[in-house]
Amino acid sequence: AQKVTQAQTEISVVEKEDVTLDCVYETRDTTYYLFWYKQPPSGELVFLIRRNSFDEQNEISGRYSWNFQKSTSSFNFTITASQVVDSAVYFCALLITSGNTPLVFGKGTRLSVIA
Amino acid sequence: DGGITQSPKYLFRKEGQNVTLSCEQNLNHDAMYWYRQDPGQGLRLIYYSQIVNDFQKGDIAEGYSVSREKKESFPLTVTSAQKNPTAFYLCASSTRPWDSTILNTEAFFGQGTRLTVV
């Protein structure tokens, strides 16, 4: 069975601090996709990144960076120089490419950035 | 523009009534999903469908029903059997996960429907 664990329920940081959101996943499949989504107070989910299981290259997009490590089954998300607008709930998700299984989400991490 | 549309954004229901939430996508995605989110909680899967005329129960299907008569539509009915239906409901769609020729698998989400039982 597939599972995604986001151990951090809530994180509070002061503006301009760096913050890392953890994501650990479980799957026996060798081919899968990992995602991060942002859910601002308005409720919709905003796609941030997708990574397939064969691409362990880390990625940086502006203040956002992602560290994918298959050896530890982790796909952590770092926000550098956090801003108040980063305050949201962040979800990590897993989609395997075999069988008939749905997108599996972690329980989310609520990030509060304080001015 | 391609996307996924949920309607209505806010919905009020009297106890004992069934209500149907709409989800439409024009992305030509085979897979569609319904999730429920309670305050301070993560996303829990209600139902999902990987292809037209087929759907499977998720983790919390009791009190809900769905249909998938068309590829672009996946309506969710919250029945009177659902004891605590007040929640935020999110619909999503994605390319078929087992289609290895699609390199850019991504799940798209609607803006959600906030259902309140009064």
Side-chain angles (χ1 to χ4, degrees):
Chain A
Q2 286 65 237
K3 184 178 179 182
V4 175
T5 301
Q6 293 180 255
Q8 304 149 308
T9 305
E10 294 191 35
I11 300 176
S12 290
V13 299
V14 177
E15 203 170 21
K16 297 184 183 177
E17 287 184 350
D18 299 347
V19 58
T20 295
L21 310 182
D22 297 333
C23 173
V24 174
Y25 63 93
E26 296 175 28
T27 179
R28 293 181 180 176
D29 282 61
T30 57
T31 305
Y32 50 88
Y33 291 89
L34 293 163
F35 303 81
W36 274 96
Y37 288 89
K38 175 182 180 180
Q39 186 181 41
S42 53
E44 76 276 14
L45 263 68
V46 177
F47 169 79
L48 295 178
I49 191 172
R50 170 194 59 251
R51 174 67 70 230
N52 76 59
S53 52
F54 297 108
D55 182 4
E56 288 193 70
Q57 189 173 9
N58 292 328
E59 183 162 335
I60 298 174
S61 176
R63 296 184 296 107
Y64 296 169
S65 63
W66 291 269
N67 182 2
F68 177 31
Q69 293 194 338
K70 288 181 77 171
S71 60
T72 55
S73 296
S74 65
F75 186 43
N76 297 337
F77 172 33
T78 297
I79 302 174
T80 303
S82 60
Q83 300 176 2
V84 173
V85 294
D86 296 327
S87 296
V89 180
Y90 292 86
F91 290 97
C92 181
L94 168 69
L95 182 67
I96 67 170
T97 60
S98 65
N100 192 30
T101 56
L103 190 61
V104 176
F105 283 86
K107 292 190 175 182
T109 298
R110 180 176 298 278
L111 173 65
S112 299
V113 181
I114 303 165
Chain B
D1 288 337
I4 182 166
T5 302
Q6 285 185 246
S7 61
K9 190 171 182 179
Y10 298 96
L11 187 58
F12 296 88
R13 189 197 91 174
K14 292 183 179 179
E15 280 195 46
Q17 287 183 338
N18 292 357
V19 64
T20 297
L21 282 59
S22 169
C23 179
E24 304 277 332
Q25 53 97 0
N26 60 3
L27 300 163
N28 200 33
H29 285 169
D30 285 298
M32 295 187 75
Y33 315 81
W34 273 106
Y35 291 90
R36 168 179 171 145
Q37 185 179 27
D38 293 285
Q41 301 293 315
L43 299 171
R44 292 186 291 169
L45 182 67
I46 305 172
Y47 268 98
Y48 64 102
S49 167
Q50 301 287 23
I51 200 166
V52 175
N53 292 322
D54 186 47
F55 48 83
Q56 286 78 41
K57 292 182 179 180
D59 300 322
I60 55 166
E62 186 175 351
Y64 299 97
S65 66
V66 293
S67 62
R68 188 83 187 279
E69 298 176 1
K70 299 185 296 182
K71 188 175 186 178
E72 58 270 22
S73 178
F74 190 42
L76 172 74
T77 296
V78 184
T79 74
S80 56
Q82 170 50 238
K83 298 305 178 189
N84 186 20
T86 295
F88 186 59
Y89 292 86
L90 277 163
C91 178
S93 70
S94 70
T95 52
R96 279 167 46 152
W98 61 82
D99 189 340
S100 61
T101 64
I102 297 176
L103 302 179
N104 292 315
T105 296
E106 178 177 330
F108 290 80
F109 284 84
Q111 291 197 316
T113 294
R114 193 166 299 278
L115 173 64
T116 304
V117 173
V118 297

